[in-house]
Amino acid sequence: MDNKFAKNEKDYIRIYEDKGYDSSFHFENGKLINNQTKKEYTPEEIFIVAENRYEGMSNPSDMSILYVIETSRNEKGTFLMGYGPTADLDTAEFFNKIPKKNISDKKNINK
């Protein structure tokens, strides 16, 4: 799939998976957790290498951010987070605590 034709979050997730970002994560008890390995991460152990924002096509208030992540243990994957009125504030606070030096756009497929 050519990224020029990516339409939604699922399309982007598939593109990033093809580039090796195939781990998925969830947020629980103040940590980001790899769904497969169960390794837990603090904000300092997370590196955001790309970020893509979306607004819902049928409902513009359905907003999300796809974070493309590398970890301190060399795991690579994605995390989809709602923002705006549907945001989980604890998850948003976790991502806000990631040090600025750990955030780049170097792997963004839209560049």
Side-chain angles (χ1 to χ4, degrees), residues 25-107:
F25 298 85
H26 70 277
F27 179 79
E28 186 178 320
N29 297 324
K31 306 263 177 140
L32 204 61
I33 303 169
N34 183 307
N35 292 333
Q36 291 80 30
T37 66
K38 308 301 182 205
K39 291 179 183 172
E40 299 180 352
Y41 295 96
T42 65
E44 296 77 22
E45 297 172 304
I46 297 293
F47 300 86
I48 297 172
V49 297
E51 180 180 314
N52 296 282
R53 292 179 183 261
Y54 308 93
E55 289 185 7
M57 293 181 74
S58 61
N59 183 354
S61 68
D62 292 337
M63 299 181 283
S64 61
I65 304 172
L66 177 64
Y67 290 107
V68 181
I69 296 169
E70 296 179 2
T71 71
S72 59
R73 296 185 187 120
N74 298 315
E75 294 181 321
K76 294 166 45 171
T78 58
F79 183 85
L80 186 63
M81 181 182 82
Y83 76 97
T86 62
D88 171 27
L89 297 179
D90 292 334
T91 305
E93 183 62 27
F94 176 90
F95 279 89
N96 285 334
K97 288 181 179 178
I98 294 174
K100 298 240 185 279
K101 66 179 179 162
N102 291 9
I103 299 173
S104 73
D105 212 28
K106 65 183 180 184
K107 299 292 182 174

Side-chain angles (χ1 to χ4, degrees), residues 9-26:
E9 299 95 322
K10 290 179 185 176
D11 294 331
Y12 277 86
I13 290 169
R14 281 192 286 273
I15 292 167
Y16 283 112
E17 284 175 344
D18 289 345
K19 294 181 177 295
Y21 291 86
D22 54 2
S23 292
S24 59
F25 298 85
H26 70 277

